[in-house]
Amino acid sequence: MSVYRGYNISLQIQQRSIYDYMRLISMFSPLLPHTLYESALHKTTSLIYSNDNGEEEEEEDHVVEVPRRWWNKLGVMGNVVGDAECEELYGLMPCSTSLGGNLSLLLIYGFMLLKAAQLLSDGSELLLAVLSPGIIGGLVLPILGALPDALLILVSGLGATQAEAQSEVLVGMGLVAGSSVMLLTALWGSCLIVGRCDLVDTSHGKLVAKDRTLNKGFSLFGTGVTTDKQTKWLSWIMMATLLPYVVAQIPRLLGLTAGGSLAVAIAGVLSVLGVIAYCTYQLIAPWIQERRIYWAKHKYKSHVMHRMSYYALKKNLGQVFLEDGATLDAEVLRRFFQKFDQNKDEVLEEAELERLIKKLGIEHKKNMPEKHEIALWMEEFDIVPKDNRITEEEFLKGMEKWRDSVKLTNTCGTNWHSNPNNSGALPQNYDPEEEQEDDDNEDAEEENKALPTKAQIINTAVLYLIAGAALAAFFADPLVDAIGGFSKASGISPFFIAFIATPLATNSSEAISSILFARRKHKKNISMTFSQIYGAVTMNNTLCLGIFLAIVYFRGLVWDFSAEITVILFSTLVMGGLAAVHTTFPLWVAFIAIALYPISIGLVAYLDYVCGWH
């Protein structure tokens, strides 16, 4: 409790007049002389308060005993609360009571959560590259993907006291709401903008996006994206997972003073059943997992194209891409093929293909093992006949196919045209004998190196997943404390800090990956991107919400999140409803989606502070 001499006021949440008046005083406290500030606070004692017998009395001089969380929420900091010390978490994590210090901690701990999410994502992709759709992809990986959010929600409700938990749990609700709203509005709209193509009429009179064609610029009605039917089904699944929110709100909707705990318990059970049902659906219909596998292979192909371009320049073979940065030079590709055709039989066999992969310097730790890697090349390149050998023409066609699948452009950080010779001809200083000598030296260095096996890749993936989970578990609590400290120092509700900041830490890696994937301007890519978004929101509405509801129920906390739930329902139903009835989205829809993000923030503030919902 925080003591302020002179009065004994028991602040109640329904006393909005006290709250608003004292907050107004606190806003101007730095500008007021100390005696004038005390006088302003003294005037609040004209209000009526309740004595121990529940009877209302007129104000007299007593000692003010106000819960610290209310002073923090009022924004009254050092002037009232004398204890400005902070406690070091784990006995070693730094803490701060200043605004700048807490902002720094917020950025540092948020960055560590971002690295944890990246490790979990890399580990998941490794497993998907070596495993067929099954329990790992349908059950384990979706849960691991939501792990950083789930841990943040868990530690936000583990305050030492019930009062602290009631205050800190706003961080958990802010994360649940902020993550879902950010994914469905800002990220969804951004992916539509970067993935847009020209819309053309079909024989059925419907507009569809023409893959990899953009001649209409930023036409609001002439450009857009088209998704497949499976993506539409996922939007229906996502909206179905809103049921636990509605169940938890029933007592509030009916104006009941009892039954809140029962409603929260039922909603929690529904959330758990939702997780089980969603994971079971992925096992029965593994097309969702197959899309994730496709995404992992896509990243591998893009990496190969970049490494091939770099290697060709390094070895003076010419430039793989012409001046437009996207068109392949057939002569350079033939030269590339002939360089690795060691026995000059005009085909690449497995041993020669393995040597090519090694020479390219592909980062196998983020891709796939030897057998899977060579099998992928053979599957993609060895067309007719299927003799487990790649001819020169098959190599050229295969590279064109991979180029089309990744739609490579000159944005990979390497200047493909630093060499003025862009014709595909050999450089004037090219010496075949010197080049062969260099290759022999490299072969001698690499003869003991081997591509990773399936077991090695699985072990690496497991290490990534363990490291990511450990990092998320270690820094989740410090991040929640930093949010609370920043809230106290700034006077901003922890809900809004968590709503905006934490999704950037836990989802930014996947957000960037989604935007880059959508840039390929292909129906399959944009469908995959939107499927990832709907799947992430589904896990928020089931796993993350289930943990949050369990905390509220078992800690005996008050369910007072009507404004927050309204925003979640609003954004999910608007965007999910559009996706459930349409497969083609013109560009103008993207700006509506992006605008929903600040509108959602404003709506929560309006419902809480103007309408008094909280």
Side-chain angles (χ1 to χ4, degrees):
M1 302 289 284
S2 298
V3 178
Y4 189 84
R5 61 185 178 84
Y7 319 101
N8 183 12
I9 304 173
S10 177
L11 284 178
Q12 304 294 330
I13 192 168
Q14 61 267 29
Q15 290 178 295
R16 300 294 299 181
S17 58
I18 299 177
Y19 175 89
D20 294 335
Y21 184 72
M22 294 186 72
R23 182 164 180 80
L24 183 63
I25 296 172
S26 68
M27 290 173 61
F28 292 96
S29 60
L31 305 178
L32 298 176
H34 184 67
T35 54
L36 183 59
Y37 178 73
E38 287 191 0
S39 174
L41 281 179
H42 180 81
K43 293 183 180 179
T44 64
T45 60
S46 61
L47 297 166
I48 295 176
Y49 70 98
S50 299
N51 62 17
D52 295 337
N53 299 322
E55 300 173 352
E56 292 185 348
E57 297 181 355
E58 291 298 328
E59 178 56 43
E60 300 177 4
D61 279 354
H62 292 282
V63 176
V64 165
E65 291 188 358
V66 181
R68 182 181 299 274
R69 66 185 185 279
W70 292 114
W71 287 115
N72 294 335
K73 189 152 187 166
L74 292 172
V76 185
M77 306 301 162
N79 291 325
V80 176
V81 182
D83 181 14
E85 296 181 359
C86 63
E87 183 179 355
E88 294 180 346
L89 198 62
Y90 311 137
L92 55 90
M93 303 301 291
C95 64
S96 176
T97 57
S98 67
L99 181 63
N102 278 289
L103 178 59
S104 299
L105 292 177
L106 196 62
L107 294 175
I108 293 171
Y109 296 148
F111 175 76
M112 298 309 298
L113 259 292
L114 170 61
K115 299 304 293 183
Q118 289 176 338
L119 285 171
L120 291 169
S121 177
D122 289 344
S124 299
E125 288 180 5
L126 280 171
L127 287 181
L128 286 173
V130 299
L131 299 175
S132 300
I135 294 178
I136 296 295
L139 177 62
V140 178
L141 297 187
I143 293 176
L144 287 174
L147 185 62
D149 288 354
L151 288 173
L152 278 174
I153 293 168
L154 180 63
V155 300
S156 72
L158 298 180
T161 66
Q162 186 179 27
E164 291 175 351
Q166 184 70 59
S167 176
E168 291 181 354
V169 82
L170 284 173
V171 174
M173 176 51 69
L175 177 57
V176 172
S179 180
S180 295
V181 173
M182 188 272 284
L183 290 171
L184 286 172
T185 58
L187 180 58
W188 193 97
S190 299
C191 290
L192 197 161
I193 292 174
V194 301
R196 73 190 186 283
C197 300
D198 291 344
L199 296 179
V200 296
D201 289 318
T202 64
S203 57
H204 302 288
K206 295 182 179 180
L207 288 176
V208 296
K210 185 177 181 181
D211 290 345
R212 300 193 178 97
T213 302
L214 182 60
N215 298 318
K216 299 179 182 179
F218 280 89
S219 173
L220 295 178
F221 298 93
T223 61
V225 298
T226 299
T227 62
D228 55 26
K229 292 183 179 180
Q230 287 89 342
T231 306
K232 181 190 290 188
W233 299 340
L234 271 182
S235 66
W236 281 105
I237 294 174
M238 176 185 68
M239 289 191 292
T241 59
L242 293 175
L243 181 61
Y245 292 109
V246 178
V247 171
Q249 280 294 106
I250 288 178
R252 291 271 179 177
L253 295 174
L254 300 179
L256 302 176
T257 56
S261 296
L262 178 60
V264 168
I266 295 174
V269 171
L270 290 175
S271 297
V272 173
L273 293 176
V275 175
I276 296 173
Y278 181 62
C279 293
T280 302
Y281 174 73
Q282 293 194 69
L283 294 176
I284 297 174
W287 61 269
I288 299 176
Q289 297 183 59
E290 290 171 353
R291 286 189 171 188
R292 297 187 67 185
I293 293 173
Y294 169 78
W295 190 322
K297 288 183 177 179
H298 162 86
K299 289 185 177 181
Y300 172 80
K301 295 176 184 178
S302 178
H303 182 58
V304 168
M305 300 295 287
H306 288 293
R307 294 302 304 173
M308 184 175 288
S309 300
Y310 172 78
Y311 184 86
L313 284 177
K314 177 182 176 182
K315 295 300 180 180
N316 290 323
L317 297 177
Q319 303 202 36
V320 172
F321 293 92
L322 298 179
E323 292 183 356
D324 61 2
T327 304
L328 293 171
D329 190 316
E331 289 301 320
V332 175
L333 289 180
R334 287 190 175 92
R335 197 175 300 132
F336 195 96
F337 178 91
Q338 293 163 7
K339 179 177 179 62
F340 291 98
D341 179 18
Q342 290 182 299
N343 56 11
K344 306 304 178 184
D345 60 353
E346 299 183 348
V347 295
L348 290 181
E349 299 176 343
E350 286 192 3
E352 294 168 324
L353 186 57
E354 179 179 345
R355 181 173 178 270
L356 181 152
I357 294 171
K358 287 182 178 180
K359 288 292 186 180
L360 290 182
I362 297 171
E363 297 175 0
H364 303 288
K365 64 180 181 178
K366 292 186 179 180
N367 295 293
M368 56 189 69
E370 176 182 356
K371 293 182 179 179
H372 286 70
E373 192 165 11
I374 294 176
L376 175 62
W377 283 73
M378 288 297 181
E379 178 185 350
E380 298 278 343
F381 286 73
D382 182 22
I383 307 301
V384 179
K386 285 284 186 179
D387 54 1
N388 216 34
R389 300 191 305 175
I390 301 174
T391 66
E392 186 175 288
E393 289 304 314
E394 286 176 335
F395 182 78
L396 294 177
K397 291 179 180 178
M399 293 309 302
E400 290 284 351
K401 180 180 178 181
W402 279 24
R403 189 281 313 271
D404 290 341
S405 68
V406 301
K407 193 61 178 178
L408 193 65
T409 58
N410 190 19
T411 56
C412 33
T414 304
N415 183 8
W416 307 128
H417 309 295
S418 57
N419 189 333
N421 176 19
N422 294 326
S423 62
L426 287 172
Q428 293 180 357
N429 61 348
Y430 179 70
D431 186 347
E433 294 183 0
E434 181 181 348
E435 184 66 27
Q436 184 61 46
E437 182 179 349
D438 291 341
D439 286 345
D440 292 340
N441 292 334
E442 290 181 4
D443 289 340
E445 294 175 359
E446 296 179 356
E447 63 181 5
N448 295 325
K449 295 182 181 179
L451 297 178
T453 64
K454 180 178 180 179
Q456 290 173 330
I457 290 293
I458 292 177
N459 291 336
T460 303
V462 171
L463 289 177
Y464 276 23
L465 295 175
I466 292 175
L471 205 61
F474 187 81
F475 285 99
D477 203 3
L479 179 59
V480 171
D481 285 352
I483 291 173
F486 187 82
S487 173
K488 294 174 184 178
S490 64
I492 302 173
S493 169
F495 169 82
F496 291 105
I497 300 173
F499 188 98
I500 297 172
T502 51
L504 296 178
T506 58
N507 296 316
S508 60
S509 177
E510 289 301 317
I512 294 173
S513 179
S514 296
I515 291 174
L516 293 176
F517 199 64
R519 286 183 59 203
R520 308 307 176 189
K521 299 185 182 300
H522 194 282
K523 179 180 179 180
K524 192 171 186 177
N525 291 33
I526 197 67
S527 297
M528 177 67 201
T529 300
F530 285 175
S531 295
Q532 290 284 93
I533 292 174
Y534 301 150
V537 175
T538 298
M539 293 303 294
N540 281 343
N541 295 345
T542 53
L543 177 64
C544 295
L545 177 62
I547 294 173
F548 183 83
L549 290 167
I551 291 172
V552 172
Y553 179 78
F554 289 108
R555 294 300 305 269
L557 306 181
V558 178
W559 181 263
D560 185 26
F561 308 104
S562 299
E564 293 82 353
I565 300 303
T566 299
V567 168
I568 295 174
L569 294 175
F570 170 69
S571 60
T572 306
L573 290 176
V574 170
M575 299 308 301
L578 283 173
V581 297
H582 297 286
T583 54
T584 296
F585 305 96
L587 179 60
W588 63 267
V589 179
F591 297 103
I592 298 295
I594 293 174
L596 286 177
Y597 186 67
I599 290 174
S600 298
I601 299 174
L603 181 59
V604 174
Y606 176 78
L607 294 176
D608 271 347
Y609 299 114
V610 178
C611 299
W613 280 25
H614 189 65

